[in-house]
Amino acid sequence: MQKRVGVIGGGAAGLAACRWLLEKGHLPTVFEESDKGIGGIWMGSTASAPVIYDGLVTNLPKQVMQFHELDFKPGTKSYMRPKDMEEYLNTYADTFKLLNYVKLGCKVTKVQRDEKTNKWSVHWSSSSKLQCDSFDAVVVAIGHYRVPHCPDVPGVKEWGGRVMHAAQYRNAEQFTGGNVLIIGAKSSGTDLAREISSVAKTVFISDPSCWAAHVKNNRHRLPSRSVSVSPSGDVLLNGVPVVLRTPLTHVVYATGYKYTFPFMDLEGLGLSPDPEALYIRNFSLQMLPPKHSDSCFFMGLPYSVAPLPILEAQAKFAAAILSGTADMSPDTQPPPKSAKQTHTLGSLQWNYVKELHRRAGTKDLDKLCQRVDLVEQLYNDRVQRTPDFPGDPDTYRNVEYQVDWERRTWRAIEAKL
């Protein structure tokens, strides 16, 4: 039986949901807040949205970034610029004729379950007009790059200087000659450390994974648990200035984003949001809430992953659930090591993708799983090539991968510098 499905978000997650809902014979309506187009964070291919900055190059190769059923156009470099991702998502939408199901300029303000009718009411605003429609199911596909997370660092508020989040970063020009503290050392922190250290006098990097201080050129890598800032702007390690007479000019938070869904009653779905919105507990398979798991789906929650293969698998699983063909046996995924790692998959992502495809009844499952294994190899090769010290040259992005999906072979070609 055909189901009417409200899909909130017109980025990669929402487009994948739309494509596979149509494949299963359902009728999706995609609500995209931007009136400029589809693509989510990649829309516009400029530094006008969070996450995207002037010099951004993807930190995963295209063969890992893509949906399984659509390759990037020939000639696209393995490590891409935002415009390549924007073009790819538009090609995906055109290939599967998705645009007719997308409503642009529609900001969803409330999603509510009507227990009497077993329908979902989706309320949205468009051109200052409030509207509402009823659906059999909803897919929440807005991602988690909307609300920056800025944890408390002792002394930063009292210092009172210039503070920003990586979401506001565009280029390193404003940091020329300055002394900068970067809080966080994962993907964005590492990239910002590289760009900013090329023009700044001194860069301090507060790294949660670091246990002792290290210095490399003008970069100081410091264990986050021991870092604070004095009222005068000195960076302190265990209360002692790291570098004398080097007061800060800027603090940059590269500390990720919060999981926020202000238009939904998460507790009413049986979910337990973290007070700081760093994770949401009680999801099954990273997408099904305890209540109404047959008609309410969240996509794009997993972190430290190759996103598009996961979104594709989640979309197929959600569509299969609505069609009554999915395997809904209990979740057997291992529990997180800690609450803060609720959505962190890392090396677990590949079995997760395979599991969702299995539950969705994906055709040629063995062939699909072999392809996932190949993608995992590429992902791991990239991990081995990334620099250990935040801010070191990103020469791994000069590698070009050649992949033969049919023969399941690949090779990495290192650029000659």
Side-chain angles (χ1 to χ4, degrees), residues 68 313 316 327 350-373 408:
H68 291 130
K316 293 180 78 170
D327 177 353
W350 314 111
N351 283 337
Y352 174 73
V353 168
K354 294 175 186 177
E355 175 68 5
L356 291 190
H357 279 290
R358 184 192 67 78
R359 288 172 176 268
T362 294
K363 296 179 181 179
D364 298 322
L365 181 61
D366 288 344
K367 185 176 182 180
L368 185 282
C369 289
Q370 290 170 352
R371 181 179 175 117
V372 173
D373 290 339
R408 303 196 299 277

Side-chain angles (χ1 to χ4, degrees), residues 66-84:
Q66 68 187 39
F67 294 119
H68 291 130
E69 58 181 348
L70 182 68
D71 291 339
F72 280 83
K73 71 177 183 181
T76 304
K77 290 187 175 182
S78 288
Y79 290 92
M80 306 164 291
R81 298 302 303 268
K83 63 179 178 62
D84 298 312

Side-chain angles (χ1 to χ4, degrees), residues 130-147:
L130 297 178
Q131 302 181 59
C132 178
D133 202 350
S134 180
F135 296 92
D136 299 302
V138 290
V139 177
V140 181
I142 63 171
H144 53 89
Y145 294 104
R146 301 169 71 88
V147 180

Side-chain angles (χ1 to χ4, degrees), residues 210-216 219-223 389:
C210 175
W211 290 91
H214 300 276
V215 182
K216 199 169 188 180
R219 287 168 283 137
H220 297 255
R221 186 183 190 182
L222 310 171
F389 199 97

Side-chain angles (χ1 to χ4, degrees), residues 10-11 14-15 18-19 22 28-32 36-39 43 86-104:
L15 294 175
C18 184
R19 183 264 181 277
L22 288 170
T29 299
V30 180
F31 298 93
E32 168 53 42
K36 297 178 181 179
I38 58 170
M43 187 274 301
E86 179 193 21
E87 181 177 324
Y88 176 78
L89 292 175
N90 275 278
T91 299
Y92 183 79
D94 290 339
T95 300
F96 298 107
K97 299 177 174 56
L98 308 180
L99 294 180
N100 288 338
Y101 302 91
V102 178
K103 290 179 176 287
L104 297 177

Side-chain angles (χ1 to χ4, degrees), residues 112-349:
Q112 192 171 30
R113 171 81 171 185
D114 187 332
E115 299 297 343
K116 293 182 179 179
T117 63
N118 291 327
K119 302 285 186 179
W120 293 88
S121 296
V122 176
H123 303 253
W124 74 94
S125 62
S126 178
S127 302
S128 300
K129 295 181 180 179
L130 297 178
Q131 302 181 59
C132 178
D133 202 350
S134 180
F135 296 92
D136 299 302
V138 290
V139 177
V140 181
I142 63 171
H144 53 89
Y145 294 104
R146 301 169 71 88
V147 180
H149 170 54
C150 296
D152 181 47
V153 175
V156 169
K157 291 180 181 178
E158 292 76 10
W159 166 60
R162 285 177 283 185
V163 178
M164 64 184 292
H165 188 273
Q168 300 166 290
Y169 178 84
R170 295 298 172 259
N171 56 60
E173 182 179 356
Q174 64 176 300
F175 305 101
T176 301
N179 301 310
V180 184
L181 170 61
I182 299 175
I183 301 168
K186 289 192 176 181
S187 297
S188 59
T190 294
D191 284 350
L192 267 58
R194 186 187 68 256
E195 290 198 2
I196 293 173
S197 65
S198 69
V199 299
K201 179 183 177 182
T202 310
V203 174
F204 304 93
I205 304 152
S206 177
D207 184 353
S209 68
C210 175
W211 290 91
H214 300 276
V215 182
K216 199 169 188 180
N217 301 323
N218 65 337
R219 287 168 283 137
H220 297 255
R221 186 183 190 182
L222 310 171
S224 294
R225 62 195 61 79
S226 304
V227 171
S228 60
V229 177
S230 74
S232 61
D234 289 322
V235 176
L236 309 178
L237 189 63
N238 294 317
V240 179
V242 176
V243 182
L244 293 174
R245 294 180 293 279
T246 310
L248 288 174
T249 56
H250 302 79
V251 170
V252 181
Y253 282 91
T255 43
Y257 297 79
K258 298 184 177 184
Y259 287 87
T260 59
F261 304 95
F263 48 81
M264 295 202 76
D265 176 12
L266 297 180
E267 289 85 353
L269 292 171
L271 297 168
S272 179
D274 167 54
E276 294 186 81
L278 300 182
Y279 55 87
I280 303 173
R281 303 188 76 168
N282 299 343
F283 275 108
S284 175
L285 294 165
Q286 293 285 339
M287 60 183 294
L288 306 179
K291 297 181 180 179
H292 310 304
S293 59
D294 60 344
S295 63
C296 179
F297 316 106
F298 287 72
M299 292 179 58
L301 300 182
Y303 179 74
S304 190
V305 296
L308 268 62
I310 282 182
L311 297 176
E312 187 174 54
Q314 289 180 329
K316 293 180 78 170
F317 183 42
I321 291 174
L322 291 177
S323 298
T325 60
D327 177 353
M328 296 296 287
S329 57
D331 182 3
T332 58
Q333 299 294 305
K337 294 180 180 179
S338 68
K340 289 186 177 180
Q341 292 183 304
T342 295
H343 304 298
T344 303
L345 293 187
S347 61
L348 300 176
Q349 64 182 298

